[in-house]
Structures are given as structure tokens and as C-alpha cells.
Amino acid sequence: MHKIASDFAHTAWPDIAEAAGRGALAVLAIGACEQHGAHLPLTTDTDLALGVSRRIAAALEAVVLPPIAYGDAWNNEAFPGTLSLSPDTLRAVIIDIGRGVRRNGFAGLVIINGHFGNREPIGLAARTLVAEGLPVVHLDYPHLEKLAGDICDSEPAGPGFYHADEVETAMMLALRPDVVDMSRAAPEYPAFPPTFGIEPLQLRDFNATGVFGDPRPATAAKGEALIEGIVAESLRLIGLWQARHAI
Ligand SMILES: [Zn+2]
């Protein structure tokens, strides 16, 4: 039977050729291998970005590329388990993958970013790929701040700062409950140094547990609502991008 080529990694080449031939988009999730407190795994950002990517790809009849499971997590390197790529390496990896996507004949590349530290390398890689002729759009969970305010009960540790908190824990409970240990979920509201954001800082210097906020009120239902909202807004933005490029 002919398999629909939605999952690039588990698809054979003739089906990839068919998908590219009909003008499909490719969706790339970029995460991190980074500490996420005692109750969430190191793969949290990758798991979440991949889960969101799969839903977006299903709606677009696009293919989901194997994710980039490492990111620029420099500021969590003081915690065991964090394995980081330098910004230059991450940018180069994205460019190489994008060139392959273009060579394979896909109409464009949708990047779903699950980790804050990846933003700059992604933006720079996208610039290079666009200059070479590949349409690229990159999204960072659009609308998340509004969705979190509407759906979640705990206060974020900082404005727009979601790390191992109710937001990420809820989304993990919706997508990968098998790797969440709620018995170890505990709150921490660290005091941010006054120079946070204007000098490079290791988070462990002012955060003991790796948690920013309170993961305890997280539920799978909240996570599902957050994901639905992110996917809906992502699809709206991707639609605007597709219209601009007629793809
Ligand atoms: Zn995270």
C-alpha cells in the first residue's frame, strides 16, 4: 500500500519524491538537549516542537523532517545533562538541512522552534536559505503568552519566560505523559539578577532546581488547549506566508 509521506524519517524515497513532486512543504522541529527540572526530561523542547510540528504538517499535508534534537542551550550548561550546540554550529546545520530540502524539491521550509536560545541562529540560517531561493518561515509558538494567560493558573517566573513550568509541563502531559514524573514537580520562582538580559548569565547561578515557575497545576487538558491554540495561530501565519509566495 502507498504510504502517505508525512513522517520523513520513516518514509521510503519514492514517497518523498511523490510528496516533493506535488509541492509539499517540509516542517523542521528544532529543540534542545537541556535540563528541565527534576520532573521533565532533557528532550522536552524537542518533544514539544516535534509534537506541534506533526499537527501542523498534518493540517498542511506537509512532511515532518527528523528534528534537530540539540540547540543553543548555553545558559543551562551549568546543569548536568545539558548538551549544547554553538550558535554557529546550529546555524550551519539548519542551512545544510535547508539546502537538502531545496535539492529534494520541496516548496518551502517551515521551522518550528521549541527553545528560546535557538532564535538567533534560526533567523540567520533562514536569511541565507531565503537568499538562495528557498522560502522559509520560522515560528516560536505564536500566541503563547496570551494562551498561557488564558489557560494556565500559575504566574510565569518572568514575562514570556516558560521553562519547566506549568506551560511546558502541561504540553508534555498532553504529548508525552510517559516521560513526565509529576511526583517530582516543585515550584521555584527565582529572583532574576538585575542584569538579566543585558549580560550572559548561567541560570544555575540564581536557580537551584531548573524550574522557572510552578509546574504543579499542569494538566494534559491544559496542554492540549495550549497546543491547539499554538497550532491554530501557526497555521494562520503560515497561510499568510504561503499566500505571499504562492506555495
Ligand atoms: Zn523548554
Side-chain angles (χ1 to χ4, degrees):
M1 201 184 92
H2 194 69
K3 190 173 148 197
I4 296 169
S6 61
D7 180 358
F8 192 100
H10 299 103
T11 303
W13 74 262
D15 304 320
I16 295 300
E18 182 274 329
R22 66 174 159 76
L25 298 168
V27 183
L28 176 64
I30 307 182
C33 179
E34 179 188 55
Q35 78 78 19
H36 274 75
H39 68 293
L40 292 175
L42 301 169
T43 55
T44 294
D45 290 346
T46 309
D47 293 336
L48 296 183
L50 183 59
V52 168
S53 293
R54 284 188 174 134
R55 294 193 189 196
I56 288 169
L60 296 170
E61 296 185 22
V63 299
V64 184
L65 303 173
I68 301 179
Y70 298 85
D72 178 2
W74 173 85
N75 62 10
N76 259 315
E77 282 185 353
F79 284 94
T82 299
L83 299 175
S84 203
L85 296 181
S86 72
D88 284 347
T89 301
L90 179 59
R91 180 173 56 87
V93 169
I94 298 165
I95 290 171
D96 284 355
I97 292 171
R99 285 174 177 157
V101 163
R102 182 161 178 246
R103 191 178 64 249
N104 273 268
F106 288 96
L109 178 63
V110 176
I111 296 176
I112 304 300
N113 179 30
H115 173 71
F116 183 86
N118 297 340
R119 287 185 184 192
E120 201 173 338
I122 289 172
L124 292 172
R127 246 162 55 171
T128 298
L129 292 168
V130 165
E132 293 177 2
L134 179 73
V136 181
V137 65
H138 48 93
L139 300 170
D140 298 286
Y141 299 156
H143 255 10
L144 180 56
E145 204 160 340
K146 163 138 187 21
L147 291 162
D150 291 347
I151 294 164
C152 292
D153 294 306
S154 63
E155 286 299 315
F161 197 96
Y162 309 105
H163 185 81
D165 62 339
E166 183 179 356
V167 168
E168 285 199 324
T169 304
M171 289 170 69
M172 281 297 279
L173 287 171
L175 289 171
R176 290 298 308 267
D178 54 313
V179 291
V180 180
D181 182 355
M182 287 304 284
S183 73
R184 298 173 84 180
E188 181 175 351
Y189 282 88
F192 286 84
T195 56
F196 183 77
I198 60 168
E199 69 168 330
L201 290 168
Q202 283 295 326
L203 299 178
R204 199 176 187 183
D205 288 346
F206 59 95
N207 175 260
T209 65
V211 171
F212 283 78
D214 189 353
R216 294 172 302 174
T219 65
K222 289 178 185 173
E224 187 58 40
L226 290 165
I227 293 163
E228 277 176 21
I230 290 167
V231 168
E233 178 63 6
S234 296
L235 289 171
R236 187 185 74 80
L237 295 171
I238 292 166
L240 298 175
W241 167 76
Q242 285 177 290
R244 255 174 61 76
H245 297 275
I247 51 177

PDB file of all heavy atoms in Angstrom, residues 16 21 37 40 46 68 72 109 112 116-117 119 134 142 148 162 165 173 187 194 196 199 202 211 213-214 230 234 244:
ATOM      1  N   ILE A  16       8.841  10.156  -0.724  1.00  0.00           N
ATOM      2  CA  ILE A  16       9.358  11.516  -0.569  1.00  0.00           C
ATOM      3  C   ILE A  16       9.353  12.229  -1.931  1.00  0.00           C
ATOM      4  O   ILE A  16       8.970  13.395  -2.038  1.00  0.00           O
ATOM      5  CB  ILE A  16      10.789  11.486   0.012  1.00  0.00           C
ATOM      6  CG1 ILE A  16      10.764  10.923   1.436  1.00  0.00           C
ATOM      7  CG2 ILE A  16      11.421  12.875  -0.026  1.00  0.00           C
ATOM      8  CD1 ILE A  16       9.923  11.712   2.412  1.00  0.00           C
ATOM      9  N   GLY A  21       7.065  16.234  -5.340  1.00  0.00           N
ATOM     10  CA  GLY A  21       6.502  16.451  -6.666  1.00  0.00           C
ATOM     11  C   GLY A  21       5.152  17.142  -6.645  1.00  0.00           C
ATOM     12  O   GLY A  21       4.795  17.858  -7.581  1.00  0.00           O
ATOM     13  N   GLY A  37      14.277  20.810  34.962  1.00  0.00           N
ATOM     14  CA  GLY A  37      13.850  20.460  36.306  1.00  0.00           C
ATOM     15  C   GLY A  37      13.965  18.964  36.558  1.00  0.00           C
ATOM     16  O   GLY A  37      14.513  18.209  35.737  1.00  0.00           O
ATOM     17  N   LEU A  40      10.840  16.728  34.320  1.00  0.00           N
ATOM     18  CA  LEU A  40      10.738  16.644  32.860  1.00  0.00           C
ATOM     19  C   LEU A  40      12.074  16.187  32.272  1.00  0.00           C
ATOM     20  O   LEU A  40      13.138  16.480  32.828  1.00  0.00           O
ATOM     21  CB  LEU A  40      10.377  18.013  32.251  1.00  0.00           C
ATOM     22  CG  LEU A  40       8.977  18.565  32.536  1.00  0.00           C
ATOM     23  CD1 LEU A  40       8.838  19.977  31.963  1.00  0.00           C
ATOM     24  CD2 LEU A  40       7.895  17.653  31.974  1.00  0.00           C
ATOM     25  N   THR A  46      12.514  19.415  22.408  1.00  0.00           N
ATOM     26  CA  THR A  46      12.424  18.675  21.140  1.00  0.00           C
ATOM     27  C   THR A  46      11.089  17.946  21.041  1.00  0.00           C
ATOM     28  O   THR A  46      10.436  17.959  19.990  1.00  0.00           O
ATOM     29  CB  THR A  46      13.595  17.671  21.037  1.00  0.00           C
ATOM     30  OG1 THR A  46      14.822  18.357  21.289  1.00  0.00           O
ATOM     31  CG2 THR A  46      13.647  17.028  19.665  1.00  0.00           C
ATOM     32  N   ILE A  68      15.872  18.496  14.850  1.00  0.00           N
ATOM     33  CA  ILE A  68      17.209  18.780  15.393  1.00  0.00           C
ATOM     34  C   ILE A  68      17.050  18.748  16.917  1.00  0.00           C
ATOM     35  O   ILE A  68      16.364  19.598  17.493  1.00  0.00           O
ATOM     36  CB  ILE A  68      17.737  20.150  14.925  1.00  0.00           C
ATOM     37  CG1 ILE A  68      17.818  20.191  13.392  1.00  0.00           C
ATOM     38  CG2 ILE A  68      19.105  20.424  15.542  1.00  0.00           C
ATOM     39  CD1 ILE A  68      18.318  21.530  12.844  1.00  0.00           C
ATOM     40  N   ASP A  72      21.038  25.697  21.030  1.00  0.00           N
ATOM     41  CA  ASP A  72      21.948  26.569  21.761  1.00  0.00           C
ATOM     42  C   ASP A  72      21.396  26.759  23.175  1.00  0.00           C
ATOM     43  O   ASP A  72      20.583  27.642  23.419  1.00  0.00           O
ATOM     44  CB  ASP A  72      22.085  27.913  21.038  1.00  0.00           C
ATOM     45  CG  ASP A  72      22.992  28.867  21.808  1.00  0.00           C
ATOM     46  OD1 ASP A  72      23.537  28.461  22.866  1.00  0.00           O
ATOM     47  OD2 ASP A  72      23.148  30.014  21.369  1.00  0.00           O
ATOM     48  N   LEU A 109      10.256  25.633   3.518  1.00  0.00           N
ATOM     49  CA  LEU A 109      10.629  25.055   4.814  1.00  0.00           C
ATOM     50  C   LEU A 109       9.929  25.819   5.938  1.00  0.00           C
ATOM     51  O   LEU A 109      10.036  27.045   6.031  1.00  0.00           O
ATOM     52  CB  LEU A 109      12.150  25.140   5.000  1.00  0.00           C
ATOM     53  CG  LEU A 109      12.712  24.621   6.329  1.00  0.00           C
ATOM     54  CD1 LEU A 109      12.451  23.124   6.492  1.00  0.00           C
ATOM     55  CD2 LEU A 109      14.208  24.917   6.422  1.00  0.00           C
ATOM     56  N   ILE A 112       9.743  25.039  13.221  1.00  0.00           N
ATOM     57  CA  ILE A 112       9.036  25.184  14.495  1.00  0.00           C
ATOM     58  C   ILE A 112      10.079  25.119  15.603  1.00  0.00           C
ATOM     59  O   ILE A 112      10.682  24.072  15.855  1.00  0.00           O
ATOM     60  CB  ILE A 112       7.982  24.067  14.681  1.00  0.00           C
ATOM     61  CG1 ILE A 112       7.002  24.052  13.499  1.00  0.00           C
ATOM     62  CG2 ILE A 112       7.250  24.240  16.022  1.00  0.00           C
ATOM     63  CD1 ILE A 112       6.224  25.329  13.284  1.00  0.00           C
ATOM     64  N   PHE A 116      14.142  28.910  23.278  1.00  0.00           N
ATOM     65  CA  PHE A 116      14.403  30.341  23.112  1.00  0.00           C
ATOM     66  C   PHE A 116      15.787  30.626  22.528  1.00  0.00           C
ATOM     67  O   PHE A 116      15.935  31.473  21.640  1.00  0.00           O
ATOM     68  CB  PHE A 116      14.247  31.041  24.467  1.00  0.00           C
ATOM     69  CG  PHE A 116      14.414  32.529  24.396  1.00  0.00           C
ATOM     70  CD1 PHE A 116      13.338  33.343  24.076  1.00  0.00           C
ATOM     71  CD2 PHE A 116      15.650  33.123  24.617  1.00  0.00           C
ATOM     72  CE1 PHE A 116      13.485  34.721  23.978  1.00  0.00           C
ATOM     73  CE2 PHE A 116      15.809  34.498  24.520  1.00  0.00           C
ATOM     74  CZ  PHE A 116      14.729  35.289  24.207  1.00  0.00           C
ATOM     75  N   GLY A 117      16.812  29.914  23.025  1.00  0.00           N
ATOM     76  CA  GLY A 117      18.182  30.192  22.616  1.00  0.00           C
ATOM     77  C   GLY A 117      18.462  29.939  21.148  1.00  0.00           C
ATOM     78  O   GLY A 117      19.505  30.343  20.628  1.00  0.00           O
ATOM     79  N   ARG A 119      16.658  31.092  18.667  1.00  0.00           N
ATOM     80  CA  ARG A 119      16.007  32.078  17.795  1.00  0.00           C
ATOM     81  C   ARG A 119      16.971  32.766  16.833  1.00  0.00           C
ATOM     82  O   ARG A 119      16.702  32.888  15.651  1.00  0.00           O
ATOM     83  CB  ARG A 119      15.285  33.134  18.643  1.00  0.00           C
ATOM     84  CG  ARG A 119      14.028  32.584  19.272  1.00  0.00           C
ATOM     85  CD  ARG A 119      13.270  33.654  19.997  1.00  0.00           C
ATOM     86  NE  ARG A 119      12.112  33.062  20.674  1.00  0.00           N
ATOM     87  CZ  ARG A 119      11.131  33.766  21.208  1.00  0.00           C
ATOM     88  NH1 ARG A 119      11.151  35.076  21.149  1.00  0.00           N
ATOM     89  NH2 ARG A 119      10.135  33.164  21.796  1.00  0.00           N
ATOM     90  N   LEU A 134      15.073  29.429  -1.237  1.00  0.00           N
ATOM     91  CA  LEU A 134      14.121  28.554  -0.532  1.00  0.00           C
ATOM     92  C   LEU A 134      13.233  29.397   0.384  1.00  0.00           C
ATOM     93  O   LEU A 134      13.739  30.032   1.313  1.00  0.00           O
ATOM     94  CB  LEU A 134      14.874  27.516   0.317  1.00  0.00           C
ATOM     95  CG  LEU A 134      13.985  26.566   1.129  1.00  0.00           C
ATOM     96  CD1 LEU A 134      13.302  25.549   0.204  1.00  0.00           C
ATOM     97  CD2 LEU A 134      14.785  25.853   2.220  1.00  0.00           C
ATOM     98  N   PRO A 142       3.658  30.921  18.359  1.00  0.00           N
ATOM     99  CA  PRO A 142       2.961  32.214  18.352  1.00  0.00           C
ATOM    100  C   PRO A 142       1.727  32.194  19.249  1.00  0.00           C
ATOM    101  O   PRO A 142       1.068  31.169  19.366  1.00  0.00           O
ATOM    102  CB  PRO A 142       2.572  32.392  16.874  1.00  0.00           C
ATOM    103  CG  PRO A 142       2.579  31.017  16.294  1.00  0.00           C
ATOM    104  CD  PRO A 142       3.643  30.280  17.042  1.00  0.00           C
ATOM    105  N   ALA A 148      -1.188  31.182  27.440  1.00  0.00           N
ATOM    106  CA  ALA A 148      -0.782  30.812  28.797  1.00  0.00           C
ATOM    107  C   ALA A 148      -1.581  31.616  29.821  1.00  0.00           C
ATOM    108  O   ALA A 148      -2.027  31.072  30.838  1.00  0.00           O
ATOM    109  CB  ALA A 148       0.711  31.058  28.976  1.00  0.00           C
ATOM    110  N   TYR A 162       9.050  30.672  29.803  1.00  0.00           N
ATOM    111  CA  TYR A 162       8.395  29.404  30.121  1.00  0.00           C
ATOM    112  C   TYR A 162       9.436  28.297  30.109  1.00  0.00           C
ATOM    113  O   TYR A 162       9.893  27.882  29.047  1.00  0.00           O
ATOM    114  CB  TYR A 162       7.294  29.093  29.102  1.00  0.00           C
ATOM    115  CG  TYR A 162       6.334  30.249  28.908  1.00  0.00           C
ATOM    116  CD1 TYR A 162       6.384  31.040  27.771  1.00  0.00           C
ATOM    117  CD2 TYR A 162       5.396  30.556  29.879  1.00  0.00           C
ATOM    118  CE1 TYR A 162       5.525  32.110  27.603  1.00  0.00           C
ATOM    119  CE2 TYR A 162       4.537  31.629  29.733  1.00  0.00           C
ATOM    120  CZ  TYR A 162       4.608  32.400  28.589  1.00  0.00           C
ATOM    121  OH  TYR A 162       3.764  33.467  28.435  1.00  0.00           O
ATOM    122  N   ASP A 165       7.849  24.868  33.578  1.00  0.00           N
ATOM    123  CA  ASP A 165       6.783  25.463  34.377  1.00  0.00           C
ATOM    124  C   ASP A 165       5.442  24.791  34.050  1.00  0.00           C
ATOM    125  O   ASP A 165       5.410  23.699  33.478  1.00  0.00           O
ATOM    126  CB  ASP A 165       6.727  26.965  34.072  1.00  0.00           C
ATOM    127  CG  ASP A 165       6.383  27.221  32.602  1.00  0.00           C
ATOM    128  OD1 ASP A 165       6.581  26.292  31.768  1.00  0.00           O
ATOM    129  OD2 ASP A 165       5.909  28.311  32.286  1.00  0.00           O
ATOM    130  N   LEU A 173       2.460  16.761  29.295  1.00  0.00           N
ATOM    131  CA  LEU A 173       1.424  15.815  29.749  1.00  0.00           C
ATOM    132  C   LEU A 173       0.472  15.467  28.614  1.00  0.00           C
ATOM    133  O   LEU A 173      -0.080  14.366  28.558  1.00  0.00           O
ATOM    134  CB  LEU A 173       0.655  16.400  30.940  1.00  0.00           C
ATOM    135  CG  LEU A 173       1.419  16.424  32.271  1.00  0.00           C
ATOM    136  CD1 LEU A 173       0.638  17.224  33.312  1.00  0.00           C
ATOM    137  CD2 LEU A 173       1.693  15.006  32.781  1.00  0.00           C
ATOM    138  N   PRO A 187       7.681  23.920  42.674  1.00  0.00           N
ATOM    139  CA  PRO A 187       7.813  25.293  42.156  1.00  0.00           C
ATOM    140  C   PRO A 187       9.135  25.939  42.539  1.00  0.00           C
ATOM    141  O   PRO A 187       9.733  25.603  43.556  1.00  0.00           O
ATOM    142  CB  PRO A 187       6.660  26.025  42.852  1.00  0.00           C
ATOM    143  CG  PRO A 187       6.495  25.300  44.154  1.00  0.00           C
ATOM    144  CD  PRO A 187       6.848  23.857  43.895  1.00  0.00           C
ATOM    145  N   PRO A 194      19.528  41.746  38.444  1.00  0.00           N
ATOM    146  CA  PRO A 194      19.120  42.986  37.768  1.00  0.00           C
ATOM    147  C   PRO A 194      19.700  43.124  36.364  1.00  0.00           C
ATOM    148  O   PRO A 194      19.172  43.888  35.555  1.00  0.00           O
ATOM    149  CB  PRO A 194      19.643  44.094  38.693  1.00  0.00           C
ATOM    150  CG  PRO A 194      20.647  43.435  39.571  1.00  0.00           C
ATOM    151  CD  PRO A 194      20.262  41.997  39.685  1.00  0.00           C
ATOM    152  N   PHE A 196      19.839  40.610  34.211  1.00  0.00           N
ATOM    153  CA  PHE A 196      19.322  39.547  33.349  1.00  0.00           C
ATOM    154  C   PHE A 196      18.892  40.150  32.006  1.00  0.00           C
ATOM    155  O   PHE A 196      18.150  41.127  31.958  1.00  0.00           O
ATOM    156  CB  PHE A 196      18.114  38.873  34.017  1.00  0.00           C
ATOM    157  CG  PHE A 196      17.568  37.720  33.236  1.00  0.00           C
ATOM    158  CD1 PHE A 196      18.218  36.491  33.240  1.00  0.00           C
ATOM    159  CD2 PHE A 196      16.406  37.852  32.478  1.00  0.00           C
ATOM    160  CE1 PHE A 196      17.722  35.416  32.512  1.00  0.00           C
ATOM    161  CE2 PHE A 196      15.911  36.786  31.747  1.00  0.00           C
ATOM    162  CZ  PHE A 196      16.568  35.564  31.758  1.00  0.00           C
ATOM    163  N   GLU A 199      23.472  40.847  30.107  1.00  0.00           N
ATOM    164  CA  GLU A 199      24.787  40.215  30.122  1.00  0.00           C
ATOM    165  C   GLU A 199      24.580  38.702  30.102  1.00  0.00           C
ATOM    166  O   GLU A 199      23.543  38.215  30.556  1.00  0.00           O
ATOM    167  CB  GLU A 199      25.601  40.634  31.349  1.00  0.00           C
ATOM    168  CG  GLU A 199      25.070  40.082  32.661  1.00  0.00           C
ATOM    169  CD  GLU A 199      26.047  40.268  33.810  1.00  0.00           C
ATOM    170  OE1 GLU A 199      27.264  40.269  33.563  1.00  0.00           O
ATOM    171  OE2 GLU A 199      25.590  40.394  34.957  1.00  0.00           O
ATOM    172  N   GLN A 202      24.620  32.350  33.508  1.00  0.00           N
ATOM    173  CA  GLN A 202      24.251  30.957  33.710  1.00  0.00           C
ATOM    174  C   GLN A 202      23.042  30.917  34.652  1.00  0.00           C
ATOM    175  O   GLN A 202      23.077  31.480  35.750  1.00  0.00           O
ATOM    176  CB  GLN A 202      25.429  30.172  34.302  1.00  0.00           C
ATOM    177  CG  GLN A 202      26.508  29.824  33.288  1.00  0.00           C
ATOM    178  CD  GLN A 202      26.011  28.862  32.199  1.00  0.00           C
ATOM    179  OE1 GLN A 202      25.183  28.002  32.445  1.00  0.00           O
ATOM    180  NE2 GLN A 202      26.528  29.044  30.980  1.00  0.00           N
ATOM    181  N   VAL A 211      13.645  24.749  37.531  1.00  0.00           N
ATOM    182  CA  VAL A 211      12.244  25.108  37.261  1.00  0.00           C
ATOM    183  C   VAL A 211      12.097  26.626  37.372  1.00  0.00           C
ATOM    184  O   VAL A 211      12.636  27.249  38.287  1.00  0.00           O
ATOM    185  CB  VAL A 211      11.300  24.417  38.272  1.00  0.00           C
ATOM    186  CG1 VAL A 211       9.876  24.946  38.144  1.00  0.00           C
ATOM    187  CG2 VAL A 211      11.346  22.907  38.076  1.00  0.00           C
ATOM    188  N   GLY A 213       8.948  28.860  37.746  1.00  0.00           N
ATOM    189  CA  GLY A 213       7.501  28.935  37.879  1.00  0.00           C
ATOM    190  C   GLY A 213       6.986  27.763  38.690  1.00  0.00           C
ATOM    191  O   GLY A 213       7.701  27.185  39.511  1.00  0.00           O
ATOM    192  N   ASP A 214       5.720  27.389  38.430  1.00  0.00           N
ATOM    193  CA  ASP A 214       5.085  26.317  39.217  1.00  0.00           C
ATOM    194  C   ASP A 214       4.469  25.276  38.284  1.00  0.00           C
ATOM    195  O   ASP A 214       3.413  25.520  37.695  1.00  0.00           O
ATOM    196  CB  ASP A 214       3.997  26.926  40.111  1.00  0.00           C
ATOM    197  CG  ASP A 214       3.461  25.899  41.095  1.00  0.00           C
ATOM    198  OD1 ASP A 214       3.844  24.708  40.983  1.00  0.00           O
ATOM    199  OD2 ASP A 214       2.673  26.290  41.970  1.00  0.00           O
ATOM    200  N   ILE A 230      -1.647  27.157  19.775  1.00  0.00           N
ATOM    201  CA  ILE A 230      -0.387  27.397  19.059  1.00  0.00           C
ATOM    202  C   ILE A 230      -0.496  26.934  17.613  1.00  0.00           C
ATOM    203  O   ILE A 230      -0.076  27.639  16.682  1.00  0.00           O
ATOM    204  CB  ILE A 230       0.779  26.659  19.774  1.00  0.00           C
ATOM    205  CG1 ILE A 230       1.091  27.326  21.112  1.00  0.00           C
ATOM    206  CG2 ILE A 230       2.016  26.606  18.886  1.00  0.00           C
ATOM    207  CD1 ILE A 230       1.995  26.484  22.017  1.00  0.00           C
ATOM    208  N   SER A 234      -0.250  29.240  14.370  1.00  0.00           N
ATOM    209  CA  SER A 234       0.849  28.914  13.454  1.00  0.00           C
ATOM    210  C   SER A 234       0.305  28.723  12.040  1.00  0.00           C
ATOM    211  O   SER A 234       0.893  29.223  11.060  1.00  0.00           O
ATOM    212  CB  SER A 234       1.563  27.636  13.905  1.00  0.00           C
ATOM    213  OG  SER A 234       2.173  27.812  15.157  1.00  0.00           O
ATOM    214  N   ARG A 244       1.934  34.833   0.223  1.00  0.00           N
ATOM    215  CA  ARG A 244       2.952  35.743  -0.294  1.00  0.00           C
ATOM    216  C   ARG A 244       3.828  35.085  -1.360  1.00  0.00           C
ATOM    217  O   ARG A 244       4.303  35.739  -2.275  1.00  0.00           O
ATOM    218  CB  ARG A 244       3.871  36.215   0.855  1.00  0.00           C
ATOM    219  CG  ARG A 244       3.598  37.645   1.302  1.00  0.00           C
ATOM    220  CD  ARG A 244       4.412  37.996   2.525  1.00  0.00           C
ATOM    221  NE  ARG A 244       5.860  37.915   2.311  1.00  0.00           N
ATOM    222  CZ  ARG A 244       6.574  38.813   1.656  1.00  0.00           C
ATOM    223  NH1 ARG A 244       5.988  39.857   1.117  1.00  0.00           N
ATOM    224  NH2 ARG A 244       7.876  38.678   1.529  1.00  0.00           N
TER     225      ARG A 244
END
